[in-house]
Amino acid sequence: MQDRIEPLMRELTDEMSRGYRAFSAAAGINMSDMMAIRFIRDQDGQATPTTLGRHLGMTSGATAILINRLEKDGYVLREQHPSDRRATLLQIGPGAEEMALPLSRSAQRLRETVLADYSRTDIEVIERFLSDIVVALKARNEGLEQELAAKIAERHPRA
C-alpha cells in the first residue's frame, strides 16, 4: 500500500507546483513573490520580514528587496506592530487579494468537487493523514535546517 502512496504524493506535489507556476506566470509575478504572498496571507496578520525570510530561505537583504517590490505593486502592506514599535507586520494588500481570488475560488471548487464523492468518515481520515504528513515534514525539515546550520557554522566559525 505504501509503495502506491509515495508516487501519488510526489505527483500531487508536482501538480500543485505546476498550478502555482502557471498562476504566477499568468499574474506576472515570480514564484518567490507568489510564495511570499501565500505565506503572509496564511499568517493571519502575524508575518514579519524575519519570519518571511526564514520561510523562503532568503537573506534579510533579499527579503527586503522582495517586500519592497511587493509593496510597490500593492500586494503587501507594512504595518507597525501594535506592541513593539520597532517591529513591522506584513499584511496582504488589495492587489494580492484581487490577484489570488480566482486561484482560491478555483482551488476551492476543485476540492469540493473531489470531496463530494467521499463520506464524512473518509474525509476525516484524509484530514488526519494530511495533518500527520505535515507534522512529520515540519519536524524533518527543522532537523535538516538545524543540521545545515551546524555544518555552515562548522565551516565558517565566527572569530
Side-chain angles (χ1 to χ4, degrees):
M1 178 70 111
Q2 288 179 347
D3 57 332
R4 294 188 322 215
I5 291 175
E6 184 177 349
L8 289 171
M9 294 282 296
R10 233 183 350 262
E11 191 173 358
L12 170 67
T13 302
D14 290 348
E15 288 304 319
M16 289 181 74
S17 293
R18 181 177 167 202
Y20 281 121
R21 283 192 309 273
F23 182 78
S24 66
I29 63 172
N30 64 44
M31 281 297 290
S32 293
D33 291 358
M34 172 72 90
M35 291 171 61
I37 290 167
R38 195 171 128 232
F39 176 79
I40 293 166
R41 184 197 68 209
D42 291 348
Q43 296 307 300
D44 294 324
Q46 299 304 306
T48 66
T50 301
T51 59
L52 176 63
R54 236 183 255 133
H55 176 74
L56 297 175
M58 293 181 152
T59 65
S60 58
T63 303
I65 290 169
L66 179 138
I67 293 168
N68 289 341
R69 182 176 60 246
L70 292 175
E71 185 178 39
K72 181 178 75 72
D73 292 341
Y75 296 137
V76 169
L77 303 172
R78 297 179 209 237
E79 294 180 359
Q80 189 172 347
H81 192 287
S83 61
D84 183 353
R85 298 179 68 87
R86 298 165 298 159
T88 300
L89 293 176
L90 303 172
Q91 307 291 330
I92 291 300
E97 291 290 348
E98 184 179 314
M99 175 193 60
L101 196 56
L103 180 62
S104 295
R105 285 185 178 154
S106 170
Q108 182 177 358
R109 279 192 307 272
L110 179 67
R111 279 190 308 274
E112 289 171 356
T113 299
V114 171
L115 289 174
D117 291 337
Y118 291 89
S119 70
R120 181 78 194 136
T121 303
D122 289 341
I123 293 171
E124 288 171 0
V125 170
I126 293 166
E127 287 173 350
R128 192 176 80 234
F129 171 76
L130 291 173
S131 178
D132 290 350
I133 285 289
V134 168
V135 168
L137 285 171
K138 283 182 179 181
R140 184 208 59 189
N141 292 342
E142 287 170 8
L144 290 173
E145 289 168 347
Q146 289 172 359
E147 284 178 34
L148 178 60
K151 285 181 182 180
I152 290 171
E154 202 175 275
R155 289 187 193 141
H156 304 285
R158 294 181 188 245

